[in-house]
Each structure stands twice: as C-alpha cells, then as structure tokens.
Amino acid sequence: MTINFFLDTFAGLPVVQWDEEVDPADPAAVAWRIDMEYDTPQRKLLAAFEHVLRRCGAAGPTALIFGSWGEPFEDPFPFDLLIRNTARLSGLRALFVGEMGSEQCEISWIVQDDYAPVLQAFPALERLWIRGAQKLALTPLRHESLRELVIQSGGLPTSVIQQILACDLPQLEHLELWLGVDNYGGDATVEDLAPLLSGRLFPTLTRLGLCNAEIVEQLATAVAAAPIVARLKALDLSYGVFGDAGAEALLAGQPLTHLDELRITTTSCPPRWRTGWSTSCRVSPSTSPTGRTSRGGAGTPSRRNDAARRRRQPGEPPGHPVHRRGPAVRAARARGLPVARRADRGPGPRAGHGGARRLARRER
Amino acid sequence: MVRVDSPGENAEVDRLLRGASGPAEHGEIVGAAAAFRGLGRALARIRDGGGHQLQDTGDILLMTDKPRCHGFLREAGIPVPEALGPIGGYEALRASGWKRVFVKPAYGSSASGVMAVAFAGRRVTAVTSAELSGGRIYNNLRVRRYDDETSIRAVVDRLAVDGLHVERWYPKASLGDRVLDLRVVVIAGEPRHVVVRTSRTPMTNLHLGNARGDVAAVREAAGEKTWRAAMGTCASVAALFPRSLHIGVDLMFRVGWRDHAVAEVNAFGDLLPGVLVDGRDTYGAQVGAIVGGRAGVPCAI
C-alpha cells in the first residue's frame, strides 16, 4: 500500500543525515539528507541547508537528498533555495527531492513543481530523482550532463511523460518512470510511450524502468517487440501487477538474454518462465521488502531488492532474477483474483462477518 | 491473587459490560463508553471481593481511558504525540487545521476503530480497520483506505458517539519498507519482553495481518543510545503505575530514529506468545516476580 523505504546510498555515496553526530572525513563523499517534520517552519529547512553547506566547503555537497520539507502535501519544495545558491553548490551532481515515507506523506500527494529551472541552474547535475507527481512538470529542455532520471510516483500524468520525452538529454543512461495508477493520475497508455520504446530518443539510454505500472501487461507486450530493448542492459518492469499474460508476452517476444538485469514483480514464477529466460534464474523470497500497485492511496511500491538487482558477476552465466513478491499477491486480491494465502498470515480479512476468523484473544 | 484479563472476543462479557440487552454483532464496534463504565463497575466488584490485585483497578481504568491516560503521561513528562482537545466529530476535526492525525476511540483497544487521517487542501484520506456497513461500524481485519470524505465523515462521526481522542500522526520509523513500533511489556518495573510490530499500513497491530519484526535489527537501526532511552521511557511509564504488575507500552520511534514517543499503554497487553526472556514468557516472568518478591515493587508478594 505504501512506500517506506529510505536509501542507504545515493549516487554511490553513503547517506548521512544532516544532523547526524558524525563527521565524514570527506563531506563531499557522502550524500547529505535533510528531512523535516511536518508543520516545520521553513526557516528550519533553511538552517539545515546552511548547516550542510557550511560542513561541505566551497563546492558544497556532491549529493543532496531532501525528504519532507514541512508540508509537502500543500506546497512544492522551495527550489529557490537551490537556485539562488548555485555558486555555493558548484559540486552538486545528484539531487533527490521528496524521499519521504507514507508515514510522512502519501506518495500520490507529494506536491512537486516544474524542474526545468533547477536543471537549467545546475548544468552539471548528473542524477535527478523525484518522488511524487502532483503538479510535476518538466518544461522540455536540453541538458548536457543528466545521466540518470528517476521519477517515483503513484500516478505519472501523460503530460509529464510527453515533456520528458521531448527533452534533449544526450547523456541519459538510466530512465526510470513509475507510471502508477489511473486513479492517481497515471493515465499514460502504451501509445504514449511509443516514442521511447522505438529507440529513437535518448541515444545513450541503456537502463530503462517502467515501474509500478497498472498497465504493466500491455507494457510487457509492447516491450517484447520494442526496438529499444536491443540496446538495453537493464529492463525494469517491477511493482506492476504482472501476471501470466505479461510473462507469456515477454517469453514470446524478442530475445532478452543480452540483459544483465530484468526485474518484474509477480505472484508466481512457474519453472517454465525461468527456463524460458535462463537456467540460472534467481527467485527472491516473497518475504523480501516490496510494494504494490493497485488499490491503496499511496498506491505504491517500495524498495528494490538488492539481491535481485545485483549485476552479473564476472564468470557468472547470464541470469534473470525474477521476483516473486507479496504485494502482487495483495494486488491480485484487491482485484478479486484468487490467491493462495500464506499460512502465517493469521486470520482472514474480515472480522465482521463470515465465520470464526477472530481469535478468542488476540495478540495486539 | 487476582488477575484481570481482557474480555477479548467473549460476546457475553462484552454484553454485560455494556449493560445491553443483546450481544453485539460479530466485530461490531458499539457501546465503547458504556463498556468502559461497565468495566469500572465490574472491577470495583472484583476489588471489593478481596484478594490481592495484580493490577490496580484505578490503573486499569486510567490506561483504558485514552484521553485521560494521554494527559496523565504528558503531565508526567513522558513523550507522547500532541493531542487535540475533545472533538465532537468530523467537522470539528477538519476545522482544527491539523493535517495528519490518528483518530482513536476514547475507549478501545487493539486498533479497534483507530483511523490514520490526512488532510491536504480539499482532499482527505483515511486508513483504518473500521468499516461502515448498514449504519453500523465493524472491525475489519483488512486495513482499508478511504479517499472519499463522505465515508470518512460517517465513520468518524459514528465513532465520536462514544468519544474520540485525536493525536498528531507521529511518523513512525521503518525497516525494510515496513513501518514499525514496539510492544514492550514491563513487568515489576522492568522492560523485558519486546515485540517489534511491522506493517505496510500505519496500523501495526499484529492481528491486522501484520508481522513481527526483528528486535535485534531494530535495536541496531535505532542505535544503543536511542534504544536505551526508549526502554527508559517504558520503565518511567511503568513507574507511574506502581500497583500494576505488568503494563504493555506501545512505543514508536520517529522516522529517522531520532526520537520516540508512547502511543498507548495497555492494561491487558501481555499476550506475547512465544516471546521468552531468560526462558520465561510474560506470564512466567510475572510469576517469577511474584515469587521472587522483588524489593521495592509493591505489587510483588
């Protein structure tokens, strides 16, 4: 139902909270994270930001993560804070705005803004991560340095996707879009993604994620024949409600054995799927941290599974980790599909009616 | 010695406590205020019957009265989320201007009727195990999200009949994409048995399909200083109830692990099956405390 995962590393750097009682040897070699409680006056955010700048020296931090900035469900992050300080942020290469959990703000409620001014103010920025898509925009531009663009949302509007696809990003290697669900604004169709899948855009793109997608099965069908796939090293369709039809479509399509990594999230993993892709397929346990797509307001997924995401090691045969995950089970349930219940899940869903589902005395 | 336990799911005990003519429907949330008054009467009868009470009658009632218990803890300097004053219903809640709140029935337990409510502009969303059906309200073991104000208003207003306690939503820490809190059973003044309750919803109560987490992993994530402070808080809470052999403290760490707060104190919170400390479960530890006659603990015999 929700996302509650926080990064340990960002842009390859360990994350350090701005007020943590540690003194990194090289303050430019960590990712600084600033997170505010809600209702916090903006001056506290400014103070935290100043604190980080002072600790980092003339070039400022290399990587910055902003969690909640106070009332992210009301107002966007105050980008002016960054833009007016470009001179003190000359070293900034990675930025993540909105890394907060559902206890702080539902992902589908996080208010964002047009990122074009930020990208223009930071021509050397290489990585941009954004969580939340309320009022999100990216007025099309050319950016010479951006290598990684990740937008995590419970619903990514078609208008934003069209803007992204209209950008000129000659260095872009990694594009990850969480499409979400229609109910939360994720109204894109496969046709809207056609320019991307055709391979005509982003000449350096090798890692593509179309995640958390209600339409993942249509995506799988499209991807099975998409020209861009030939040049990808990693394809990520995780967190969608991926079922047999999606798997069949992928299996029936073009070869995927050149991929270092294929991520899907599914309720089952028949051996046939595995042999269809590789004999060394790994199945991650269903207890691994996960997320989901349908139902739920926050409507979203969660953390990646490191084991499944790991890259192939030298000498290891190509394999395609296939996830089997809990959330897809719940998602299927939410769609009314029959799903075997795990034995350790406790009593059934309904207390009010329908039999002895409550225990005489419950562990609380 | 007299041990009082939760009425649990016993429909007849529940009916007697409420003083109602008939049993409630299965899972129905009804008559919480009447049940609380009935609990007071019943406990008084038990107390007057003599014997040694393992839990003080006044303590049980205080712990069960959420607004009063919250005020009592706050006055004593225990960290608790800020609470709104008495709230008559949904309109008053909305008018308070508080954006993210936990709405709890004033008298209740085990997440029964608890709602996590968030407002933003004209939007509102609520996560709860409560479900409105045919004008009645039920506990559902599946936690649901409501995004429509009409339903949320109806549930809040229905719960408000028996009194509400509203606190700021304390953003809980998470591990591995599950938010968590602790149930710490303090026996004879000492925090001993700890269960980590983890969830993908704001409701961590274990009967709602949630899972126990790894105590050692939480302790590591919190850091020794934060963990010790949290256990110290649990001990301080127990010290406020010196005539009760055990209390169950629900303790939350704030996201980022900087801070902690007490969500609830439970008079009947010692059901932690399979959790052993020094080979004893919560009941064994209580017997041990009684037999051992721990010095300075009035409840120990």
Side-chain angles (χ1 to χ4, degrees), chain B residues 216-240:
Chain B
V218 170
R219 187 169 181 157
E220 192 189 337
E224 205 51 32
K225 191 174 149 194
T226 301
W227 179 267
R228 283 201 193 143
M231 292 304 121
T233 291
C234 294
S236 301
V237 173
L240 299 170

Side-chain angles (χ1 to χ4, degrees), chain A residues 2 4 17 19 38-39 102-104 106 184 290 297 302 349-352 358-361 363-364, chain B residues 5-6 9 26 100 110 118 131 139-142 145 147 168-169 172 174 177 197 200 212 258 268:
Chain A
T2 52
N4 286 299
Q17 304 282 341
D19 57 348
Y38 80 95
D39 285 1
S102 63
E103 287 281 304
Q104 296 167 283
E106 290 67 25
Y184 292 100
T290 50
S302 20
R350 178 66 203 236
R358 295 165 90 201
L359 308 174
R361 189 172 171 228
E363 182 177 15
R364 295 166 203 183
Chain B
D5 214 328
S6 159
E9 313 294 327
H26 197 53
R100 297 177 71 79
S110 65
E131 182 181 60
N139 259 320
N140 191 317
L141 294 184
R142 169 168 290 172
R145 176 180 294 274
D147 286 327
R168 268 185 206 279
W169 184 335
K172 293 184 281 295
S174 59
D177 199 41
R197 312 185 303 176
R200 292 201 177 89
R212 283 185 181 177
R258 295 307 159 73
F268 309 125

Side-chain angles (χ1 to χ4, degrees), chain A residues 173-175 204-209 227-236 256-263 308-312 318-321:
Chain A
E173 294 166 9
H174 178 167
L175 176 64
T204 54
L205 188 73
T206 54
R207 307 181 74 82
L208 176 63
I228 195 173
V229 172
R231 67 164 143 113
L232 293 182
K233 293 177 183 161
L235 174 62
D236 186 350
L256 299 174
T257 48
H258 65 289
L259 295 175
D260 289 338
E261 223 181 270
L262 169 65
R263 290 170 52 88
R309 200 173 177 76
R310 69 195 256 289
R311 304 190 73 135
R312 183 154 48 105
H320 300 298

Side-chain angles (χ1 to χ4, degrees), chain A residues 150-204:
Chain A
V150 174
I151 301 178
Q152 305 174 337
S153 87
L156 191 62
T158 306
S159 59
V160 179
I161 292 171
Q162 287 168 343
Q163 288 182 317
I164 294 165
L165 301 189
C167 286
D168 184 5
L169 304 172
Q171 300 290 333
L172 192 69
E173 294 166 9
H174 178 167
L175 176 64
E176 183 176 317
L177 305 174
W178 293 20
L179 304 178
V181 297
D182 197 11
N183 192 30
Y184 292 100
D187 56 357
T189 62
V190 170
E191 288 69 44
D192 295 316
L193 293 158
L196 176 63
L197 297 176
S198 76
R200 292 194 304 272
L201 307 173
F202 312 130
T204 54

Side-chain angles (χ1 to χ4, degrees), chain A residues 1-6 17-21 33 35 37-39 71 73-74 101-106 108-109 111 134 183-184 286-291 295-299 301-303 326-327 330 333-334 344-345 347-364, chain B residues 3 5-10 25-27 99-101 109-110 118-121 123-125 127 131 133 138-145 147 168-172 174 176-179 183 195 197 199-202 205-207 209 212 225 254-256 258-259 266 268-273 283:
Chain A
M1 178 179 280
T2 52
I3 179 162
N4 286 299
F5 169 64
F6 299 94
Q17 304 282 341
W18 71 277
D19 57 348
E20 216 166 297
E21 290 167 6
R33 186 172 190 283
D35 187 38
E37 292 172 28
Y38 80 95
D39 285 1
E71 295 204 334
F73 37 83
E74 300 279 9
S102 63
E103 287 281 304
Q104 296 167 283
C105 183
E106 290 67 25
S108 57
W109 279 17
V111 179
Q134 283 283 330
N183 192 30
Y184 292 100
S286 59
T287 50
S288 61
T290 50
R295 208 166 65 110
S302 20
R303 114 159 264 193
R330 288 194 304 282
R333 278 195 192 127
D344 60 353
R345 275 289 162 84
R350 178 66 203 236
H353 308 281
R357 288 183 177 145
R358 295 165 90 201
L359 308 174
R361 189 172 171 228
R362 298 178 305 216
E363 182 177 15
R364 295 166 203 183
Chain B
R3 173 187 162 91
D5 214 328
S6 159
E9 313 294 327
N10 188 311
E25 268 195 68
H26 197 53
K99 303 284 175 57
R100 297 177 71 79
V101 293
S109 65
S110 65
F119 300 97
R123 291 167 301 172
V124 56
T125 186
V127 179
E131 182 181 60
S133 173
Y138 298 90
N139 259 320
N140 191 317
L141 294 184
R142 169 168 290 172
V143 174
R144 290 188 47 186
R145 176 180 294 274
D147 286 327
R168 268 185 206 279
W169 184 335
Y170 191 89
K172 293 184 281 295
S174 59
D177 199 41
R178 297 178 75 98
V179 301
R183 163 62 59 83
V195 162
R197 312 185 303 176
S199 179
R200 292 201 177 89
T201 79
N205 304 62
L206 289 172
H207 68 283
R212 283 185 181 177
K225 191 174 149 194
R254 185 186 291 280
V255 61
R258 295 307 159 73
D259 221 347
N266 303 274
F268 309 125
D270 61 345
L271 177 71
L272 302 186
Y283 307 124

